[in-house]
């Protein structure tokens, strides 16, 4: 008889840091250290967009399962996974795993999309992303973790601004209607694709 797979969000593991006590709305950030080898799924993916930033110092082999196509990749610190809300993926790892997890409420992302001018329906759904480099998102997450570490000392406006910047960044670069760089502009400049 096959053992039932564990739900990470209902496990006994506790985050090293969590934004829960800061009262942030629409976004939650947690930092997890040295989670023992396991195969788990995360039920929070069913209702929230989940972004995982890997932090394990040495490269680590991860297996991903979506029920149809298993994938296996070596993950290094700083690589990002994006799981859109409603997706059910599980992971298996064979050495202790460290990571930062962002959970975004889809309604918060939709609100930011409308307020920011991303009015297209397909703009509000994140694309699935496996082990991608997202340096700006990593920096925003580091700022969020610093704010959690200092007890939210910068205040609600700063915290709300970080959440909005993260949401806008995800909308611009990790949705179907993403912004694309133009060949004739300098590297720092971007044009909009309105196909």
């Amino acid at each position: 008889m096959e053992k039932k797979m564990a739900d990470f969000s209902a496990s006994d593991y506790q985050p090293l840091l969590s934004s829960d006590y800061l009262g942030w709305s629409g976004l939650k950030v947690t930092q997890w250290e040295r989670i023992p080898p396991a195969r788990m799924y995360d039920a929070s993916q069913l209702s929230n967009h989940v972004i995982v930033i890997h932090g394990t110092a040495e490269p680590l082999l991860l297996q991903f399962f979506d029920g149809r196509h298993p994938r296996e990749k070596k993950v290094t610190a700083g690589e990002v996974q994006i799981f859109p809300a409603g997706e059910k993926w599980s992971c298996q790892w064979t050495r202790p795993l460290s990571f930062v997890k962002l959970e975004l409420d889809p309604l918060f992302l939709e609100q930011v999309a409308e307020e920011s001018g991303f009015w297209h329906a397909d703009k509000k759904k994140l694309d699935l992303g496996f082990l991608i480099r997202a340096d700006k998102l990593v920096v925003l997450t580091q700022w969020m973790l610093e704010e959690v570490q200092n007890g939210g000392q910068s205040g609600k406006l700063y915290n709300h601004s970080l959440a909005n910047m993260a949401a806008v960044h995800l909308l611009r670069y990790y949705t179907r209607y993403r912004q694309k760089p133009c060949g004739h502009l300098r590297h720092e400049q971007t044009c909009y694709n309105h196909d």
Side-chain angles (χ1 to χ4, degrees), residues 102-160:
L102 295 175
E103 294 177 48
L104 274 87
D105 182 329
L107 294 176
F108 171 70
L109 194 66
E110 186 172 318
Q111 176 187 352
V112 171
E114 290 173 10
E115 290 175 1
S116 301
F118 298 111
W119 55 88
H120 300 281
D122 59 348
K123 186 63 170 167
K124 299 172 189 172
K125 181 168 175 18
L126 294 180
D127 289 335
L128 185 64
F130 279 105
L131 303 178
I132 57 177
R133 283 287 171 193
D135 296 335
K136 290 179 183 176
L137 186 59
V138 171
V139 169
L140 282 168
T141 303
Q142 289 169 339
W143 291 346
M144 288 178 207
L145 287 173
E146 288 173 9
E147 189 62 10
V148 172
Q149 286 173 324
N150 73 29
Q153 290 178 349
S154 298
K156 283 187 173 185
L157 179 61
Y158 181 77
N159 298 333
H160 189 67

Side-chain angles (χ1 to χ4, degrees), residues 33 53-58 76-79 98-100:
E33 292 292 328
I53 301 171
H54 292 279
T56 307
E58 295 179 13
T76 58
E79 289 186 309
S98 299
F99 58 93
V100 174

